[in-house]
């Protein structure tokens, strides 16, 4: 068991981060907004942590205290939230594909800016980011509590008035507006919460990856994060959690399949390098056959009823 965790520790932590980023994409979708800005805030949070730990906190040992990483996460969340407010008020007046294009433009603007600034390391990026832990698996001390708090927050959000208002806007914005719900306020709120979450994950990911550059926030990442939600499920927060974990592990599974004896060389190369194509096929197939994703409210209700029946029989 110890050997398994040592071998796949990096993948396990990456899957947890993927689940949190899936929740970040899901938050605007709760209000019916297709926002692809999560990679931009993710990259912004990573740059904040990378700059803070390499420029502001100089260390000769290559390590950084955990409290400093938590402080970077807080700063990344606050700054990402402020940027989201400035961006969200004008942009969230758009709908559908126009909003998606606007948020993609935001991601690309951040990427180009990062490529041309000295403080971000230009195209090379920032290397040698100090580590708070000795092994990748130890990052679970930060990743798991962050995922748990995010899931608890989402569980509570879906039960209270704010969550019901977001769902009402998603189902019919005009009807929600006529009932006294302010669509702009709630859409900006969901957008800001998503940005805060993505920025915090980016901050800890910069240390986890030990390097940070403009490739962390690209259009490719937007498609991958969107797949977490569309494949996992877009009607409950459990969907992006499951989708983020499964699709983060998928490349490793495909890489393992490519090395199986008897697999043709061309197919093995495609399984290793064709991740985005496979994700695209999954999105198309998923939207046709599973429009609500794998995890749906009906599925969760069935699981709950089945569990209650099992416990009733054991009593």
């Amino acid at each position: 068991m110890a050997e398994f965790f040592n071998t796949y520790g990096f993948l396990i932590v990456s899957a947890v981060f993927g689940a949190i980023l899936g929740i970040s994409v899901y938050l605007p979708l709760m209000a019916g907004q297709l926002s692809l800005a999560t990679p931009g805030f993710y990259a912004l949070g990573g740059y904040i942590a990378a700059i803070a730990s390499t420029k502001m906190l100089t260390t000769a040992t290559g390590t950084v205290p955990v409290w400093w990483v938590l402080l970077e996460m807080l700063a990344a969340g606050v700054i990402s939230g402020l940027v989201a407010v400035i961006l969200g008020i004008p942009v969230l007046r758009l709908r559908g594909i126009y909003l998606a294009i606007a948020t993609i433009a935001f991601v690309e603007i951040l990427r180009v800016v990062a490529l041309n600034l000295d403080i971000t390391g230009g195209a090379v990026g920032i290397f040698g980011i100090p580590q708070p832990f000795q092994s990748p698996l130890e990052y679970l001390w930060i990743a798991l509590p962050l995922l748990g708090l995010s899931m608890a927050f989402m569980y509570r959000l879906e039960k209270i008035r704010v969550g019901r208002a977001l769902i009402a806007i998603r189902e019919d914005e005009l009807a929600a507006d006529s009932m006294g719900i302010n669509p702009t306020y709630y859409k900006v709120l969901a957008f800001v919460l998503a940005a805060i979450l993505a920025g915090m994950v980016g901050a800890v990911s910069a240390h986890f990856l030990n390097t940070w550059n403009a490739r962390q926030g690209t259009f490719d990442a937007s498609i991958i994060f969107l797949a977490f939600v569309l494949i996992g499920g877009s009607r409950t927060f459990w969907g992006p959690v499951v989708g983020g974990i499964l699709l983060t592990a998928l490349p490793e599974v495909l890489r393992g399949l490519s090395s199986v004896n008897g697999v043709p060389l061309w197919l093995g190369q495609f399984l290793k390098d064709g991740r985005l194509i496979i994700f695209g096929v999954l999105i198309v197939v998923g939207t046709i056959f599973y429009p609500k994703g794998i995890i749906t409210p009906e599925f969760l209700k069935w699981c709950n009823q089945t569990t209650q029946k099992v416990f009733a029989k054991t009593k």
Side-chain angles (χ1 to χ4, degrees), residues 149-307:
L149 290 173
S150 301
M151 293 177 66
F153 174 79
M154 292 304 302
Y155 176 81
R156 182 58 183 162
L157 180 64
E158 290 184 348
K159 305 294 183 181
I160 62 177
R161 183 180 183 277
V162 175
R164 292 195 296 269
L166 292 173
I167 295 172
I169 294 170
R170 180 185 67 195
E171 297 301 329
D172 193 326
E173 183 174 335
L174 292 177
D177 192 12
S178 66
M179 294 176 64
I181 297 174
N182 186 342
T184 301
Y185 170 79
Y186 285 103
K187 288 190 289 187
V188 172
L189 176 62
F191 189 67
V192 170
L193 292 174
I196 292 173
L197 197 56
M200 294 177 69
V201 177
V204 66
S205 294
H207 292 276
F208 178 63
L209 298 175
N210 196 35
T211 180
W212 204 255
N213 52 52
R215 290 192 297 272
Q216 307 303 330
T218 62
F219 175 70
D220 294 350
S222 298
I223 300 301
I224 294 172
F225 295 164
L226 180 62
F228 292 169
V229 180
L230 295 182
I231 301 302
S234 60
R235 287 298 184 267
T236 172
F237 72 91
W238 286 101
V241 171
V242 174
I245 293 173
L246 292 179
L247 294 184
T248 301
L250 180 62
E252 189 66 28
V253 174
L254 295 176
R255 192 175 294 111
L257 291 175
S258 66
S259 59
V260 174
N261 292 332
V263 175
L265 180 62
W266 66 269
L267 180 58
Q269 193 67 29
F270 174 76
L271 290 175
K272 288 192 294 185
D273 300 335
R275 179 180 60 169
L276 289 177
I277 298 176
I278 294 172
F279 277 15
V281 172
L282 287 175
I283 291 175
V284 173
V285 173
T287 51
I288 294 175
F289 296 100
Y290 298 95
K292 294 183 180 180
I294 299 173
I295 309 298
T296 63
E298 294 79 13
F299 176 76
L300 293 177
K301 184 178 180 180
W302 176 83
C303 291
N304 186 38
Q305 292 175 347
T306 304
T307 303

Side-chain angles (χ1 to χ4, degrees), residues 10-259:
F10 186 89
L11 180 62
I12 293 171
V13 177
S14 298
V16 175
F17 287 151
I20 302 171
L21 290 169
I23 294 176
S24 176
V25 178
Y26 170 74
L27 272 164
L29 280 175
M30 279 189 71
Q33 301 299 298
L34 179 58
S35 170
L36 300 178
T38 291
F41 294 113
Y42 174 71
L44 178 61
Y47 274 118
I48 291 171
I51 294 171
S53 58
T54 57
K55 308 294 184 182
M56 299 175 59
L57 183 68
T58 56
T59 173
T61 60
T63 60
V64 66
V66 176
W67 65 264
W68 181 261
V69 178
L70 297 177
L71 188 62
E72 290 172 345
M73 292 172 63
L74 178 62
V78 171
I79 295 174
S80 297
L82 291 175
V83 173
V85 171
I86 297 172
L87 175 68
I89 292 176
V91 167
L92 291 177
R93 297 181 184 276
L94 303 173
R95 298 181 183 179
I97 190 63
Y98 301 104
L99 174 62
I101 293 173
T103 51
I104 290 173
F106 165 71
V107 172
E108 286 300 302
I109 289 171
L110 282 182
R111 186 182 67 85
V112 173
V113 169
L115 284 172
N116 291 277
L117 289 180
D118 293 333
I119 194 171
T120 59
V124 177
I126 301 174
F127 288 85
I129 301 174
Q131 300 293 304
F133 301 111
Q134 298 298 319
S135 67
L137 190 62
E138 292 183 68
Y139 276 88
L140 288 177
W141 289 108
I142 294 178
L144 283 180
L146 183 58
L147 175 60
L149 290 173
S150 301
M151 293 177 66
F153 174 79
M154 292 304 302
Y155 176 81
R156 182 58 183 162
L157 180 64
E158 290 184 348
K159 305 294 183 181
I160 62 177
R161 183 180 183 277
V162 175
R164 292 195 296 269
L166 292 173
I167 295 172
I169 294 170
R170 180 185 67 195
E171 297 301 329
D172 193 326
E173 183 174 335
L174 292 177
D177 192 12
S178 66
M179 294 176 64
I181 297 174
N182 186 342
T184 301
Y185 170 79
Y186 285 103
K187 288 190 289 187
V188 172
L189 176 62
F191 189 67
V192 170
L193 292 174
I196 292 173
L197 197 56
M200 294 177 69
V201 177
V204 66
S205 294
H207 292 276
F208 178 63
L209 298 175
N210 196 35
T211 180
W212 204 255
N213 52 52
R215 290 192 297 272
Q216 307 303 330
T218 62
F219 175 70
D220 294 350
S222 298
I223 300 301
I224 294 172
F225 295 164
L226 180 62
F228 292 169
V229 180
L230 295 182
I231 301 302
S234 60
R235 287 298 184 267
T236 172
F237 72 91
W238 286 101
V241 171
V242 174
I245 293 173
L246 292 179
L247 294 184
T248 301
L250 180 62
E252 189 66 28
V253 174
L254 295 176
R255 192 175 294 111
L257 291 175
S258 66
S259 59

